[in-house]
Amino acid sequence: MTRVWIFAQRDLRRMAADRRALIVNLALPLVLTAVMGLSFGGGVFGKKGISAIPVAIVAEGVPEAMQTRFLDGLKKSGFFAPVWADSLEADTMVRSGKVAAALVLPPDPLTAFFQADSLVIQVWRDPSSEIKAGIVEEIVSRGVLRVQAGEGAFRALWPGDYAAIGADSVGFAALLKGNPVDIWNRLRGPENAGTREEAVDFIVRQIDHEVALQRALQGSAAGLAVADKAPTGEKKQRETSLFDYFLPSFAVFFLMFAVAAGARDLHRERARRTLQRQLLGPGSAWPIVMGKWVASVVQGLVMLSVLLGAGALLFRVNLGPDPWTLPLVILLTCTAAAGFFLALALLVTREKVLDNLCTAVILISGMIGGNFLPVDNLPAWASSAGHYVFNYWANLAFSRVIGDNLSLTAITTPVTVLACASLALLVVILTLFNARVKRGGWA
Amino acid sequence: MIEVRDLVKKYGSHRAVDGVTFSVARGELFGLLGPNGAGKTTTIGVLSTLLRADGGQVRIGGHDVAAGAKEVRRLIGVVPQEIALYTDLTARDNLMFWGRLHGLGGAALSRRVEELLVMADLADQARRKVETFSGGMQRRLNLVAGLIHEPEVLFLDEPTVGIDAQARSRILELIARLGQQGLTVIYTTHYLEEAEQLCDRIGVIDRGRLVALGDKESLISQVGDADMIRLSLPADRLDAFHAACGGWTGCTGVGERRGKVEVRTPDGGRLLPVIQDWLRANDLPLEQLEIERPNLETLYLNLTGRGLREEAS
């Protein structure tokens, strides 16, 4: 492996020294990323990273003036595009994907609020709109938690208020203590002076107060219930952000050009006779081509990481649900790409032929592999043909991780295909290279 | 040190090397002389294990190049005709890479790289990218890169192609020094004067065949003592000149090449006044009359009927 690294290190040094290649492979994609990000994503340059989320509000029994104020408040926040609906309409809207979620308040929420009844808010989610519905749920959940926390704090600060104490400063339990004569005398006592009617009123008032307090303390002041609403009617498009799709697909597209240039270098080395000079070194020949493969993979890793990293920093592109799924997809994409273009280089004998072949292959595989159009939107024939090019599986994996926030377990097919292709292509390039060395084809 | 016996290398039906046999002693500077396409580079390719021979046997340091390629590669260094360097890297980075490739490392590698940079007179240019070097500097670095692992045998394939006279002379000096240090060198060239100046023995190769082999003096003696007198004549006087030549003592042959008449004679000094008299008698100018002593060019011409430079161009 030391020899492999000697060859790889040399290529990496050369890549780092080649300013033109750095511009083409890194600066250009970064500029393109910025342009795309500004067009589709916004990010830190002023626009919001995500468009306003359509939400249906169901709150039957709320006065119209209050509805308007509530809707205006939500709109002003910039996060939501709310619409008022009854529960039936809201259900239909969620299921059809017209709104990401519905916020359902109990009937006559104001009365419940002022009676200190527990206020359970429901969130109906569109399961296909994970991110946006998730945001709604998170915001509502935080609001409910605040109410619950406030109540908890209130109880902690004024525990006396929660004891069974009357509003008129006489403890209800103390008032009713003893036998009926004592109770009567206590009620007729100097501190409770008044008519018998006043005494009855006082007792009734105390009972009402006690009952209301007990009822309020039976449950939380506010609660949250979340329900996913299965889609109805025709299949709704998966929620995608154009930038989430275009960033990785353009990165893969540029990666193909960069790796193809690395593969062409094999022919350039032959023409310059540095390849023959390496073949004259001690040891086996395979580390020479393996070193090129490693260098291409490292180059690809740097390129994709920089581009996706820049996308995440500048335009809040999602980097997946965990720290390992996206890096694994990046690695497998690079290994497959390096193997694919080196195999092409070993199949042709002249650099010029390889040049033309690479350009044609990149454009065609870009078209059928989902680099110009999201893999989910490809026509059926292109999608079928795309199964035979590595970038289709790479784009599919990126799209699932970045666009849908899926983890490794949910993208086993593209990951397995990329891993198998990488391994198979590596075997192919080592075999082809050694065969050519044996027959003196590099001399 | 090197034994080549009946070496054959074919490309399809074309025999690029056709039954070549020679040997080179340890410490000898052996020249392989021939025009482009004669089979020199192919011969070096087989000797350096890059190409597989279709026939014959090659042994270097006692190892067969086919069966013991790995052992042979440890013994040899090859300097290709092309600048086989990474021009986008610095001179030092290049040498470091080639050194690591041959298993060198650490202080030993750094020391060897410094030695070679000094040898190539590039010590103060070590951090410059090779692409910024002149042709001569690149050639010198190309040459010392072949020495990084201190080989016992060095193959130099036309190491002076495409550089000016001054740069060439520095390269030749460097090679001469290597020869003096006891390195066995096989030097291919189509420049006669380089082979004459450097080599202990010379093999002349033409169309894949070794047509002459020996030291410079013995090769020239194969031509005999023939001097060559060249002159330009109008076409309508050629027949008259041929007829006159037949009657002159010492004229051993007359031919034509590149529009010039060539007269072979054992003693050019004697025949020259006779030719001058004939030219005057026929009212022809004397300016384009020249005499050439026997050399490898005449040998090559004798052996193949063509001039070396003519082929090379």
Side-chain angles (χ1 to χ4, degrees), chain B residues 166-290:
Chain B
Q166 196 184 359
R168 179 185 294 186
S169 132
R170 289 181 79 171
I171 297 255
L172 295 180
E173 274 173 33
L174 185 56
I175 296 167
R177 246 185 302 160
L178 292 171
Q180 285 158 13
Q181 287 165 14
L183 190 69
T184 307
V185 178
I186 290 196
Y187 185 92
T188 78
T189 183
H190 59 257
Y191 294 119
L192 288 158
E193 58 275 23
E194 287 181 6
E196 282 182 7
Q197 182 184 334
L198 279 177
C199 300
D200 304 317
R201 280 193 315 135
I202 295 163
V204 180
I205 193 164
D206 179 54
R207 290 175 184 168
R209 290 181 156 274
L210 199 66
V211 290
L213 180 67
D215 58 32
K216 192 177 100 181
E217 287 71 29
S218 71
L219 285 175
I220 291 171
S221 72
Q222 286 181 30
V223 192
D225 289 332
D227 289 346
M228 183 79 76
I229 297 170
R230 289 198 182 88
L231 66 156
S232 296
L233 283 176
D236 58 343
R237 303 293 180 90
L238 280 174
D239 289 340
F241 184 76
H242 276 270
C245 270
W248 293 333
T249 312
C251 178
T252 55
V254 182
E256 280 172 60
R257 196 159 65 93
R258 283 179 157 185
K260 285 203 167 186
V261 176
E262 293 182 338
V263 181
R264 210 165 296 139
T265 172
D267 189 351
R270 280 196 171 181
L271 189 60
L272 194 63
V274 179
I275 293 175
Q276 284 174 330
D277 288 345
W278 185 87
L279 290 170
R280 274 191 214 99
N282 286 279
D283 288 330
L284 291 168
L286 304 178
E287 288 81 29
Q288 292 190 1
L289 196 59
E290 56 188 59

Side-chain angles (χ1 to χ4, degrees), chain A residues 10 269 273 277-278 280, chain B residues 48 82 84 86 88 101 142:
Chain A
R10 171 218 49 205
E269 286 221 47
R273 299 197 74 85
R277 208 168 210 177
Q278 289 163 65
L280 290 169
Chain B
S48 61
E82 296 80 4
Y86 296 101
D88 42 7
L101 178 65
N142 195 34

Side-chain angles (χ1 to χ4, degrees), chain B residues 122-191:
Chain B
L122 293 169
D124 53 345
Q125 312 288 335
R127 290 187 190 282
R128 270 178 62 191
K129 281 189 184 182
V130 175
E131 64 196 5
T132 65
F133 284 5
S134 68
M137 289 159 84
Q138 289 185 353
R139 284 272 165 209
R140 295 204 299 277
L141 187 65
N142 195 34
L143 197 157
V144 296
L147 298 167
I148 188 86
H149 57 300
E150 300 185 67
E152 293 180 33
V153 178
L154 184 67
F155 295 110
L156 290 162
D157 192 6
E158 310 222 21
T160 58
V161 166
I163 52 174
D164 59 48
Q166 196 184 359
R168 179 185 294 186
S169 132
R170 289 181 79 171
I171 297 255
L172 295 180
E173 274 173 33
L174 185 56
I175 296 167
R177 246 185 302 160
L178 292 171
Q180 285 158 13
Q181 287 165 14
L183 190 69
T184 307
V185 178
I186 290 196
Y187 185 92
T188 78
T189 183
H190 59 257
Y191 294 119

Side-chain angles (χ1 to χ4, degrees), chain A residues 58-75:
Chain A
V58 180
E60 285 152 15
V62 173
E64 203 171 314
M66 201 159 177
Q67 284 183 16
T68 313
R69 288 192 68 180
F70 187 52
L71 287 186
D72 287 348
L74 282 176
K75 280 177 189 165

Side-chain angles (χ1 to χ4, degrees), chain A residues 3 6-7 9-10 13-14 17 269 271-274 276-284 437-438 440 443, chain B residues 48-52 73 78-80 82-86 88-89 93 97-98 100-102 129 142 145-146:
Chain A
R3 272 169 60 79
I6 289 171
F7 293 114
Q9 202 181 23
R10 171 218 49 205
R13 270 174 180 269
R14 293 177 56 214
E269 286 221 47
R272 233 179 2 224
R273 299 197 74 85
T274 44
Q276 291 85 328
R277 208 168 210 177
Q278 289 163 65
L279 288 168
L280 290 169
S284 310
V437 168
K438 276 186 185 161
Chain B
S48 61
T49 75
L50 275 177
L51 290 172
R52 285 199 160 201
R73 280 185 210 142
V78 179
V79 179
E82 296 80 4
I83 304 293
L85 298 169
Y86 296 101
D88 42 7
L89 293 182
D93 283 346
F97 166 69
W98 296 114
R100 283 194 198 104
L101 178 65
H102 283 278
K129 281 189 184 182
N142 195 34

Side-chain angles (χ1 to χ4, degrees), chain A residues 172-215:
Chain A
F172 191 59
L175 195 71
L176 298 176
K177 217 161 137 187
N179 57 49
V181 177
D182 291 340
I183 296 168
W184 179 251
N185 287 334
R186 206 171 293 132
L187 289 170
R188 299 281 298 169
E191 72 274 21
N192 300 316
T195 65
R196 197 166 39 182
E197 285 74 26
E198 282 171 333
V200 172
D201 281 350
F202 173 72
I203 290 169
V204 169
R205 213 165 51 241
Q206 291 290 357
I207 290 168
D208 278 352
H209 181 86
E210 188 73 9
V211 169
L213 189 62
Q214 289 301 328
R215 199 169 54 189

